[in-house]
Amino acid sequence: MTAKALVITGYGLNSEEETAKGFEYAGFDASIRHINDLAENPKELNDVQAISVPGGFSYGDDTGSGNAMAQKMRLTIGDALKEFVARDTLTIGICNGCQVVVNLGLAPACDSQYGVRQVAVTHNASARYQCRWVDLGVQETNSPWLAGVKSLHVPVAHGEGRFMMDDDTLKVLQDNKQVALRYTKDGTPANGEFPYNPNGSTDDIAGITDETGRVLVLMPHPERGMFTWQRDDYAALKDAARRNGQTLPDESDGLRLFQNAAEYFGINAMKKAS
Amino acid sequence: MVQRIEVFTVSEDGRAKTLEAQFKKSGKNLESVRVVDVYTIEEGIQDQGRLNACLQSFTNPVTQKAFVLEDGQAPANDYIETVGDFDWALEIGFLPGVTDNIGHTATELTALTLGRDKTLYSSQVILLKGSLSEEDVKEVAAELHNPLIQRAANKNKDQFLADGGMDAVVPRVVLDNKGSAVDEVNLNVSDEDLITIGREGIENADGSRRGPLGMSLLYMQAVQEHYKKEGRNPTDVELETLAQTWSEHCKHTIFASPIDEVKSGLYKHYIKRATSEIREARGSDDFCISVFSDNAGGIIFDDNWMITDKVETHNSPSALDPFGGAITGIVGVNRDCLGFGQGAKPALNRYGFCLADPRKDLEYYRGKNKMNPTLSPDTIMKGVVAGVEAGGNQSGIPTPQGFLYFDDRYVGKPLVFAGTVGVIPREINGKPAHEKSAQPGDRIIMVGGKVGRDGIHGATFSSVALDEGSPATAVQIGDPITQKKLSDAIIKDIRDLGLYSAVTDNGAGGLASSVGEMAEGSGGFELALDQVPLKYPGMQPWEIWISESQERMTMAVPPENVDKIIELFAKRGSEAWDIGEFTDSGRAVLTWHGDNVMDMSMAFLHDGVPETPLSTTFTRGGEEEPDLPEPNDYAEELYAMMGRLNICSKEFVSAQYDHNVQGSAVLGPIQGKGRICAEATVSRPVLESKAGAVLSQGLAPRYSDIDTREMAMAALDSAVRHAIAAGGDIDHLALLDNICWCSSDEPERLGQLKRAMEAIYDMAVHYRTPFISGKDSMFNDFKGYDADNNPVTISVPPTLLISGIGVIDNVAKAVSLDTKQAGDLVYLLGETKDELGASEYYDRHGKLGSNVPETDTALNYKLYQALSKANKQQLCASAMAVGFGGLGITLAKKSVASGLGMDIQVESDLRLDKLLFSESQGRVVVTIAPQDKDAFETAMGDYPHVAQIGTVTDAFSLKINNVEADLKKLEEAYKETLKDY
């Protein structure tokens, strides 16, 4: 027995394999599902505990990143998705997936208004794509995805990662503790400073949740920073470990999110029981 | 009625702010810029509910506001309010027939939302506020659009308000064809007339010509002769097909022709022979699987996987439209990967740009009297960088490895290299995955995009003016998302079902090339040109056949699988069409509504091309060795060298290219806390395998000014050296050759070429590093006029790019370039000689010199073997090959990368500037933890040039003999040069 995770792909989403790998490594029964297949059988979601809309470039970011794919999902699996997040399930939107989920209005969904767009994730202040590693501080949050995690060292890779919203919405997000992740510089807030905050995001926001914390959307890529060998400082860590006669741990920060999801559904306990 | 949907961003817009800064910088008196996204629908959507359903997918209500304008009707008041305060409106849209990816997505979204087809076209309105003259606005427009592919229109505020906004423009293609017809071409004509047909093209009924066939008299006579025997004249389709198939671009005739005493031609005699000799010598250690026979080369990766590689050039199109040329280049070479064997998954991209100095205003014209100017080096650089950014990023393929090289002779012909590494299981369904062959009876299935006039006679298009209704046929823009759907469908859903016999890409030459090549497997084909789906009506049969419309693959599919495969593609949002059959008739047959319009023997098509024997001469170049005064401040000299274009940071490019997607990055393009650009990268393209792919590149174009032999050897040695320094293994390293030459009809240029090929044959055989794939581009010359109307020819320096692809069994063996700990020992491996000819240092002082670096193959091979051994034992804490700028620059880069200084004492007979900046090949700087000293020196074996030259320190300075340079200043100099790009 285990829990099922589904990673949605198609039309330019492209990080499905490594995202599925994260779920699988954490103990999920993980599958990759093309949006057109899911559209034919949206009921499949009834049988699933966690979904991810992964990173990528759906529809080439045309008409605003995530917007076109959100329309496609709204028209094909929109109701099924709303039912899915209403259940005791977990949802993660990463990078382009974050943009899609936000455009679908499944996050932040303040006042439980699922389906209403409340924030925008738009062009970087530099108007330029940025691929680099960042440091994230985990804020006070009820999100199961981030339980026990204080900080994350993971990469970003996006041209439109700037969270924007009106001041009232920002205040609601802050008050409700729905701002889950912020960009930091040496452990302190990045305060909009490039490259620590790589996109000029309002309030250094890198990720937000719905009110339940079960829907997490974030621009950085935990699935590209799951293993030590993927890290930008791998060569230095490896060298130091070798000198000190230590073995470098395989696992790195990004994996924690998938392991937390597994923990939430008691996958290890389930596995032990069966 | 035509409808315009205009989307205004009402919050802060990063795009607008960036444009604002750009125009202010270029001196415009500008207060603010706003960007409006526009979608034009020829037949508008009248139902408000349906319209709103569409609008939500074009707009983000949190930051944007959408308006719908009906052509000929006054806009609503709130539109005028939102337009607000501005002085000029400038609209940029595509010309008819140009790939409009945003329009394409909008069209697809509308179909999805409404359930019926409507074509949408995208454009952008830029609202400018400031004290600007119309002249200023035109200059802004010139910066923002390329008239070859785009239109620009402007209105001042009064005009805009009087007209109720910008004019609605529908860029629909209208072809003025008087019925599609096939013409017979009379070849019973004089040699003069044959020459005219070959040079200017087939004559139309109205006396105009269709554009060059690029066929010499010799070729035309061979065709004439052949059809005399057949007892008829060729059709236009047949002649166009022969021109395409026999072109330099497709047949590589210069490399195939007898040259001096080398009767089998340069390619067979040097490149192919090197590989077959290496494979034979390696015996059971041979790691090649598929070389030269497919769209890419394939070697062993591990027990289960094969890794493939191919590097293409896309030079001429990039001179005309840098963005379109580069994106088509990268997306095109992705298809070479998809078309390898049964289909390899694109896993890594690489790139390379040879460009003129972007900071210089270099003014040249293609026509007399300042007509048809070349694009500025700045525009070309920004365009090609953006093209690979869009193509690579949108395709979800990491792009870790690449370079920018600068020389002003690339001004009229930039070189744009694009490469793709793929992975594919060694066996699929129990069969070797690299094998494929079209079988007689297989259906010809075209997959992907429809066919337009893209790329027809592209090379000659530059001087033709475009009018409103004519499609821009020469310049193509890749559509990465259409291709991504196609790629995923093939690799992730269809390939392993075993439904097709063969697959190949549709690139240069279009169907004529892909079907023609695949049919060599079966022995013939019959294809119905009227069954090929078109982007717009009215195309001629010959145009359909040779069109280079992008994002297409061709498959050979057994008839019983056709319905299934078309359905599977449809499920993934890709289209596939059955357009003919592979046969064993020995004939290449095309039909048009039932009539034969081509019926040619396969043998003549592929082997009928006449041989043209070539002869060569060679003269060594170079000047006298200069007698430069010794620098009085070496630290300043180091700072200046660090800032040179060919040495400084190219981070602005690397950071725009996603190098982490697919989660495979191990050593990326930027290394160390000090962020130094690496010359080699390491990736783990198959997550299940610990094995790593080491990618490197090497080139040394300026060395050609003295001797192309040394240019070629330096290119090859650099590619190998960089790969080994990054942890590679000389025993599992393959090479790719990209030869970009100039004026290849001149014996002297051919002599330079032959010399280069001889050299790389010798080296590859000695290093036992086989060539697995290559590509040549022989005429990189610009012919035009300078600003004073003087005719000029600017030829690129003969440029050989060698790309290395190595395999290591465990990515833990990767070695980064940054030093690791104070107290570590610094070793210089290799000998520094008085070799500054064509070096960065001489160039800085305006000299060429004569002593170009000479590569000692036998000695270097010993080093690379020894270092490979050290790599296996993980003995190097850091390593970096010595490249442009020499030892001084390598030490500086390694120190800046870690923020740790060095204390270096080098003994040499050379004066210090020569010691620091000589570009002698075969050198690597490594740092070794003190406890590994003995093991490292043992691993170096009998390689003689191992010198411990100092130690890593925790001071923030680089000390070399009595010189002391500040790391901060080195870093600033390194990062300053291109920081504003």
Side-chain angles (χ1 to χ4, degrees), chain B residues 25-299:
Chain B
K25 204 178 138 200
S26 61
K28 297 283 176 293
N29 193 352
L30 193 82
E31 281 171 44
S32 68
V33 173
R34 277 185 298 152
V35 178
V36 186
D37 298 298
V38 183
Y39 307 91
T40 301
I41 315 178
E42 191 166 9
E43 260 182 84
I45 306 163
Q46 298 312 323
D47 180 277
Q48 196 58 43
R50 294 173 143 252
L51 187 57
N52 287 342
C54 289
L55 288 184
Q56 69 177 349
S57 65
F58 300 150
T59 319
N60 190 324
V62 180
T63 52
Q64 294 176 319
K65 217 168 162 182
F67 295 91
V68 180
L69 282 75
E70 305 285 345
D71 197 22
Q73 290 179 22
N77 284 340
D78 60 340
Y79 173 77
I80 301 298
E81 250 168 55
T82 305
V83 173
D85 197 13
F86 72 102
D87 293 295
W88 289 91
L90 168 67
E91 179 160 22
I92 290 168
F94 288 107
L95 291 173
V98 175
T99 303
D100 173 4
N101 287 326
I102 298 175
H104 183 78
T105 296
T107 299
E108 209 175 313
L109 281 172
T110 306
L112 187 73
T113 311
L114 302 182
R116 60 196 165 100
D117 292 339
K118 280 184 181 291
T119 306
L120 276 75
Y121 303 90
S122 77
S123 57
Q124 260 186 355
V125 173
I126 315 285
L127 295 171
L128 303 163
K129 172 146 184 62
S131 163
L132 301 165
S133 65
E134 182 155 15
E135 214 38 54
D136 289 331
V137 176
K138 287 202 164 136
E139 280 174 29
V140 168
E143 271 193 61
L144 289 180
H145 88 294
N146 181 345
L148 261 185
I149 54 165
Q150 289 163 313
R151 68 182 173 90
N154 66 66
K155 287 185 183 184
N156 61 30
K157 188 177 182 180
D158 293 343
Q159 186 72 47
F160 183 96
L161 293 177
D163 296 350
M166 299 303 286
D167 299 337
V169 176
V170 178
R172 182 157 50 81
V173 174
V174 183
L175 292 182
D176 182 23
N177 274 342
K178 294 138 201 106
S180 298
V182 173
D183 295 329
E184 178 182 319
V185 184
N186 183 11
L187 290 190
N188 296 313
V189 295
S190 66
D191 282 357
E192 285 76 55
D193 287 347
L194 285 183
I195 290 172
T196 309
I197 297 172
R199 192 184 292 154
E200 294 170 23
I202 298 169
E203 194 173 1
N204 290 315
D206 64 0
S208 64
R209 297 219 173 236
R210 295 182 185 177
L213 293 170
M215 302 253 269
S216 64
L217 178 61
L218 189 69
Y219 282 23
M220 289 302 295
Q221 284 168 334
V223 179
Q224 185 187 45
E225 180 82 0
H226 176 78
Y227 279 94
K228 218 172 252 169
K229 277 190 227 147
E230 296 269 309
R232 65 175 174 99
N233 275 314
T235 64
D236 55 358
V237 187
E238 288 173 322
L239 194 55
E240 293 280 358
T241 303
L242 286 166
Q244 192 88 26
T245 311
W246 291 3
S247 69
E248 172 59 33
H249 197 81
C250 293
K251 272 277 177 221
H252 305 284
T253 42
I254 290 170
F255 266 79
S257 301
I259 184 164
D260 299 339
E261 77 289 354
V262 180
K263 297 301 170 214
S264 57
L266 294 175
Y267 168 64
K268 277 190 186 149
H269 188 72
Y270 292 120
I271 307 290
K272 232 175 156 178
R273 184 163 62 102
T275 298
S276 58
E277 286 180 12
I278 293 164
R279 296 187 69 177
E280 201 168 316
R282 282 189 164 277
S284 59
D285 289 337
D286 175 29
F287 53 78
C288 292
I289 295 178
S290 172
V291 291
F292 299 119
S293 56
D294 207 337
N295 292 307
I299 63 171

Side-chain angles (χ1 to χ4, degrees), chain B residues 11-23:
Chain B
S11 67
E12 192 183 302
D13 184 352
R15 298 176 300 173
K17 289 276 168 214
T18 308
L19 288 178
E20 214 170 279
Q22 180 186 334
F23 299 137

Side-chain angles (χ1 to χ4, degrees), chain B residues 526-777:
Chain B
E526 183 171 336
L527 185 146
L529 288 173
D530 50 284
Q531 296 298 306
V532 177
L534 304 180
K535 291 184 184 175
Y536 32 77
M539 281 178 66
Q540 300 287 353
W542 66 273
E543 294 176 321
I544 297 170
W545 183 231
I546 65 169
S547 157
E548 298 187 353
S549 288
Q550 297 291 301
E551 294 84 38
R552 292 183 296 153
M553 302 288 288
T554 304
M555 289 181 157
V557 180
E560 63 273 19
N561 297 338
V562 167
D563 289 348
K564 172 106 199 206
I565 215 164
I566 290 176
E567 187 196 324
L568 286 169
F569 277 114
K571 275 191 155 184
R572 295 297 174 253
S574 279
E575 289 186 278
W577 300 269
D578 181 346
I579 56 173
E581 182 176 310
F582 289 104
T583 67
D584 54 7
S585 66
R587 307 291 294 180
V589 180
L590 292 176
T591 62
W592 178 249
H593 297 289
D595 296 333
N596 276 12
V597 295
M598 176 169 102
D599 187 348
M600 214 188 308
S601 90
M602 289 284 291
F604 180 65
L605 179 60
H606 288 291
D607 305 322
V609 52
E611 272 188 353
T612 319
L614 305 171
S615 58
T616 77
T617 58
F618 179 76
T619 323
R620 192 179 192 271
E623 298 163 355
E624 277 189 13
E625 272 290 292
D627 186 16
L628 293 175
E630 184 164 10
N632 25 18
D633 188 336
Y634 271 101
E636 288 299 331
E637 198 66 25
L638 272 168
Y639 305 145
M641 286 290 285
M642 278 296 261
R644 285 183 60 77
L645 275 179
N646 288 332
I647 292 171
C648 72
S649 172
K650 318 298 188 297
E651 179 175 343
F652 80 101
V653 180
S654 302
Q656 287 184 69
Y657 292 178
D658 190 345
H659 41 269
N660 290 322
V661 62
Q662 298 189 10
S664 58
V666 179
L667 288 185
I670 307 283
Q671 293 180 11
K673 283 179 288 197
R675 303 183 72 80
I676 295 289
C677 295
E679 307 284 355
T681 57
V682 179
S683 304
R684 188 171 157 173
V686 179
L687 295 183
E688 291 71 31
S689 172
K690 285 193 163 72
V694 184
L695 268 57
S696 67
Q697 291 166 315
L699 77 169
R702 203 186 298 121
Y703 294 6
S704 289
D705 293 349
I706 299 176
D707 190 345
T708 51
R709 173 184 166 77
E710 301 310 334
M711 177 280 291
M713 292 181 82
L716 194 149
D717 196 67
S718 300
V720 170
R721 194 165 76 237
H722 290 310
I724 303 302
D729 179 359
I730 188 74
D731 256 331
H732 202 151
L733 179 65
L735 305 175
L736 293 86
D737 60 286
N738 281 86
I739 298 146
C740 286
W741 231 248
C742 54
S743 326
S744 296
D745 42 6
E746 294 173 10
E748 188 66 25
R749 292 299 190 187
L750 290 171
Q752 291 180 325
L753 177 65
K754 186 178 162 202
R755 207 170 151 75
M757 295 302 105
E758 277 169 356
I760 62 171
Y761 162 81
D762 284 339
M763 276 185 93
V765 168
H766 206 109
Y767 287 174
R768 310 218 303 174
T769 48
F771 298 106
I772 58 167
S773 176
K775 181 73 192 288
D776 55 82
S777 163

Side-chain angles (χ1 to χ4, degrees), chain A residues 16 36-37 62 131 238 242-243, chain B residues 105 492 655 812 814 824 932:
Chain A
E16 68 279 3
N36 289 350
D37 292 349
D62 301 337
C131 175
K238 177 170 70 105
R242 199 183 85 86
R243 282 173 207 254
Chain B
T105 296
K492 300 186 178 181
D824 279 3
D932 292 325

